[in-house]
Amino acid sequence: MEKSDLLRIAGKRIQQLREQKGLTQVDLAGKIQGEFDTTNVSRIESGRTNPTLYTLHRISEALEVSLSELLAI
């Protein structure tokens, strides 16, 4: 699997979980621990950036799912 494919698939999974929780990108950015800009959420969901493991951890906490559930692709 290519890196770009993996980033796109992971981003879609984050988007899917966010939408299941009824959250907008703004809502999710506000729930993420520390400073996190809405444009970062957009870039991650579209697969345009490679988030760090720590960022993925923070997103999983904000979505109230485990990291393994977040990355269940």
Side-chain angles (χ1 to χ4, degrees):
M1 181 178 299
E2 295 291 323
K3 177 182 175 180
S4 60
D5 294 333
L6 184 58
L7 292 174
R8 187 176 32 76
I9 292 167
K12 290 295 179 193
R13 175 71 177 149
I14 291 168
Q15 180 181 11
Q16 176 187 45
L17 290 168
R18 174 181 58 76
E19 290 174 348
Q20 286 176 0
K21 303 275 184 178
L23 299 172
T24 66
Q25 289 181 345
V26 173
D27 295 334
L28 178 57
K31 290 183 67 147
I32 295 173
Q33 178 187 31
E35 300 227 358
F36 205 85
D37 193 78
T38 305
T39 57
N40 289 336
V41 175
S42 176
R43 287 196 310 264
I44 291 168
E45 287 186 354
S46 65
R48 293 178 300 174
T49 191
N50 188 2
T52 65
L53 182 57
Y54 182 63
T55 296
L56 292 173
H57 169 72
R58 291 167 47 203
I59 292 170
S60 72
E61 285 187 333
L63 290 171
E64 299 175 349
V65 298
S66 68
L67 189 55
S68 61
E69 186 177 348
L70 183 76
L71 297 176
I73 53 176

